[in-house]
Amino acid sequence: MGLVEYKKKRNFNETAEPAGAVKKSKDKLAFVIQRHKASRLHYDFRLEMEGVLKSWAVPKGPSLNPKDKRLAMMVEDHPYDYKNFAGEIPEGNYGAGIVEIWDEGTYEYIDGEGIDDEKKLMTGLKSGNLKFIMHGKKLKGEFALVRLKGEDEKSWLLIKHRDDYAVDEDYSSEEDTPKNSPINKWLAQHGKGEPTSKKKVQ
Ligand code: MN
């Protein structure tokens, strides 16, 4: 996919998001999950593959409970440097709002033996069945991303596999977010509604 679509959507004179280039981790593959308060609060799940971040928007956030199948909408590839991005995207720009890093770390193909991981991951990505092990602060162990059959080809499900890191109780990524995170501070001041759209109605 490359970064053409990513760059087309953004004006880098206005947003502090990285314009970015194709880059790779030296050793292990990186992942990041950003919590993003845009017109709606959602999570952006990003996996490094072939020098870019393959990206999915997850409206409800990830779960550690294998019973939860979380809808994940595939979006445009993001540059490798986006994994370090947190801050504000100014009003009038694509994705305007606040981005914070919710979890980060490394990940690997499920039978990962290092160097061929990316080829196997790309094969999984193309076939709509991606299995991997996450080494994050919050997300650990085996996960799968499975593409739903349908005309848009963009809808996937993010599912935790049953392992030592899985939980049986209800899991909420919102509750697993520090109360003083930048977005939570904003929400505490402005409320959980959608203030911009409400203002327009009045
Ligand atoms: Mn987003």
Side-chain angles (χ1 to χ4, degrees):
M1 215 190 288
L3 297 173
V4 177
E5 195 182 341
Y6 171 86
K7 289 180 180 172
K8 214 188 285 175
K9 287 180 172 177
R10 291 166 178 84
N11 177 353
F12 297 104
N13 294 323
E14 293 193 10
T15 181
E17 292 166 288
V22 173
K23 267 191 213 175
K24 284 176 182 236
S25 295
K26 281 201 187 109
D27 188 11
K28 298 187 167 172
L29 295 168
F31 85 87
V32 68
I33 301 166
Q34 280 141 328
R35 187 166 173 253
H36 184 186
K37 190 208 77 66
S39 53
R40 283 177 193 216
L41 182 67
H42 62 274
Y43 291 71
D44 290 306
F45 190 94
R46 310 192 197 279
L47 302 175
E48 177 192 353
M49 249 177 261
E50 296 193 325
V52 297
L53 303 178
K54 298 291 171 188
S55 297
W56 291 259
V58 184
K60 288 189 174 176
S63 177
L64 289 174
N65 186 325
K67 284 182 186 157
D68 293 328
K69 294 176 171 57
R70 292 289 161 84
L71 183 66
M73 298 301 293
M74 197 162 198
V75 299
E76 76 274 17
D77 292 350
H78 278 52
Y80 178 79
D81 284 342
Y82 209 93
K83 70 187 181 62
N84 303 316
F85 178 73
E88 284 191 34
I89 301 172
E91 213 168 304
N93 289 270
Y94 184 71
I98 308 170
V99 175
E100 63 191 20
I101 292 172
W102 185 80
D103 197 15
E104 60 192 324
T106 63
Y107 84 103
E108 59 188 318
Y109 180 74
I110 214 151
D111 299 318
E113 286 168 8
I115 207 84
D116 288 331
D117 269 17
E118 281 184 281
K119 273 185 194 155
K120 290 172 185 166
L121 285 162
M122 288 304 289
T123 305
L125 188 79
K126 277 171 197 149
S127 71
N129 190 344
L130 203 54
K131 294 193 173 82
F132 47 94
I133 303 173
M134 303 192 75
H135 307 283
K137 297 183 184 97
K138 294 183 172 114
L139 298 191
K140 296 178 199 285
E142 295 181 15
F143 283 80
L145 270 164
V146 182
R147 189 166 59 214
L148 292 169
K149 293 193 172 64
E151 60 272 21
D152 73 351
E153 298 273 298
K154 290 191 170 169
S155 307
W156 296 61
L157 294 174
L158 175 65
I159 305 161
K160 176 81 190 87
H161 280 174
R162 200 160 279 288
D163 60 15
D164 288 349
Y165 301 106
V167 301
D168 289 317
E169 63 269 22
D170 289 346
Y171 177 86
S172 161
S173 52
E174 287 293 282
E175 282 167 26
D176 210 357
T177 303
K179 291 276 177 287
N180 64 353
S181 84
I183 290 176
N184 282 349
K185 276 187 193 161
W186 191 96
L187 292 173
Q189 276 186 321
H190 299 86
K192 286 218 174 191
E194 289 174 35
T196 44
S197 56
K198 267 182 201 159
K199 264 181 212 158
K200 276 177 200 156
V201 173
Q202 283 162 359

